[in-house]
Amino acid sequence: MAMTLKAARYHQPQRNKKDKEGTDDASSRGLCLRQSTQEQKGSLPPPHITALPGSMVGSKNPVTILCRGPAEAEVYMITKVGIPEPSDREKQLMSKMTNSFSITDMTPDRAGLYHCSYQSGGSWSQFSDPLPLVMTGAYDKPSLSSMTGSVVASGENVKLQCFSTLKFDAFILIKEDGYRTIQNQISTHQGYKHEAFFFLYQVSFTQTGTYRCYGLFEREPYVWSHPSDPLHLQVREPAAWYPSAENQVRLSMAGLILLVLGMLLAEAWYSRNMPFNGDRQPPGAQYI
């Protein structure tokens, strides 16, 4: 799931949970999990980080963060953005190759941005791209509706509305084909509710699918509400034109008239150019 929050303020550092993060026995598992804000300037290529079964995790559900590096990697380190990275001494405490970190019960303090690195030949790699780990189910679900209907023709514009009575700071729109973030919008207050509008311009058949939206607060940008009820959007290709029975009769009559006119024109042309017989003289002929 690719997620880019629109407002930069949503990338605030998470609270210091160093003590809690340290409850996993990192030294015996060969993996270091800490929080980090500093960019690691390693000399080795970065690894790839992912979450299984996915990076959107329901409250109290399990998830595993996996760091994939080259075969020669000796030690892995998974870090969470928040506080300065571990010192070299802390890194050297790791002695086994373990490239995963499991969370048995997802909680708000576990949500946030993660990245990882590995050590090989005494050198550390660059950090991987950040992985946003999102916890869902923290608040009541918002509502999602289409202002332009759930069945639209290809090429039309679609306007979706996500709203809630809770004072969410922003809403996120997700298309359920791998939980891909479509848009995020700052919420606005309208009457008794907070809402945001999402626009899909010149939709095509590929945008047919199921959509949901989530609400969130600025103070915890990776802690989301329950998902809205699903909204099924169907994009139809422009229908081929088929004439009605009445129009078919009219077209047939027009075709018949054109056929008759064609026959009359052909007969007239043939009469003008046929050979002359008997006493009939062609124009300009003289008798001797």
Side-chain angles (χ1 to χ4, degrees):
M1 179 198 71
M3 183 185 73
T4 304
L5 291 175
K6 194 170 188 178
R9 56 184 175 179
Y10 287 156
H11 294 288
Q12 293 179 345
Q14 301 294 313
R15 294 184 299 273
N16 184 355
K17 297 293 182 180
K18 184 174 181 179
D19 294 337
K20 187 168 184 178
E21 302 286 352
T23 57
D24 296 279
D25 188 357
S27 60
S28 63
R29 298 177 64 243
L31 177 143
C32 176
L33 178 70
R34 294 291 188 271
Q35 294 182 336
S36 172
T37 55
Q38 297 180 359
E39 179 182 357
Q40 179 163 308
K41 297 179 175 62
S43 57
L44 303 177
H48 176 72
I49 189 171
T50 187
L52 301 175
S55 58
M56 290 180 61
V57 188
S59 177
K60 304 298 183 182
N61 288 343
V63 64
T64 297
I65 301 175
L66 184 64
C67 186
R68 293 191 178 97
E72 57 270 19
E74 301 165 357
V75 173
Y76 283 91
M77 178 179 64
I78 296 177
T79 59
K80 182 183 177 185
V81 174
I83 61 174
E85 66 174 286
S87 65
D88 290 339
R89 183 176 181 278
E90 289 179 300
K91 294 177 183 179
Q92 296 306 322
L93 293 177
M94 298 174 292
S95 58
K96 296 181 180 180
M97 180 177 172
T98 303
N99 65 339
S100 65
F101 170 71
S102 296
I103 299 174
T104 55
D105 297 299
M106 189 64 181
T107 54
D109 61 287
R110 295 290 194 180
L113 284 176
Y114 288 81
H115 51 192
C116 69
S117 59
Y118 64 90
Q119 186 183 44
S120 178
S123 299
W124 283 94
S125 72
Q126 303 174 40
F127 276 127
S128 66
D129 291 334
L131 169 74
L133 191 65
V134 173
M135 191 197 87
T136 63
Y139 320 109
D140 291 340
K141 65 182 180 182
S143 298
L144 180 64
S145 62
S146 175
M147 311 294 288
T148 48
S150 58
V151 180
V152 297
S154 177
E156 292 185 358
N157 298 329
V158 175
K159 181 180 181 181
L160 305 179
Q161 179 193 33
C162 186
F163 59 92
S164 174
T165 56
L166 297 179
K167 298 179 180 179
F168 288 123
D169 294 316
F171 292 98
I172 304 289
L173 180 66
I174 296 291
K175 185 173 185 287
E176 292 189 338
D177 55 354
Y179 295 100
R180 180 167 56 92
T181 300
I182 303 299
Q183 294 181 29
N184 55 84
Q185 297 287 350
I186 306 299
S187 70
T188 58
H189 183 259
Q190 183 66 33
Y192 66 92
K193 64 186 178 183
H194 281 68
E195 63 185 8
F197 294 98
F198 301 93
F199 296 90
L200 307 178
Y201 296 103
Q202 297 181 338
V203 295
S204 64
F205 179 75
T206 59
Q207 288 167 290
T208 293
T210 301
Y211 294 79
R212 295 179 186 264
C213 71
Y214 297 78
L216 61 91
F217 293 101
E218 180 181 352
R219 65 179 182 271
E220 292 183 309
Y222 300 100
V223 178
W224 297 1
S225 69
H226 284 281
S228 67
D229 291 334
L231 185 147
H232 304 286
L233 182 67
Q234 183 177 0
V235 181
R236 292 180 174 176
E237 296 298 330
W241 181 75
Y242 296 99
S244 63
E246 182 179 357
N247 287 334
Q248 287 181 9
V249 172
R250 292 175 179 174
L251 290 172
S252 298
M253 292 298 295
L256 181 60
I257 292 172
L258 290 174
L259 179 61
V260 172
L261 289 174
M263 292 176 64
L264 292 174
L265 290 173
E267 183 178 358
W269 180 87
Y270 180 76
S271 298
R272 284 178 58 92
N273 295 277
M274 66 179 295
F276 293 96
N277 298 316
D279 296 331
R280 191 176 177 185
Q281 295 292 325
Q286 297 181 356
Y287 291 97
I288 301 176

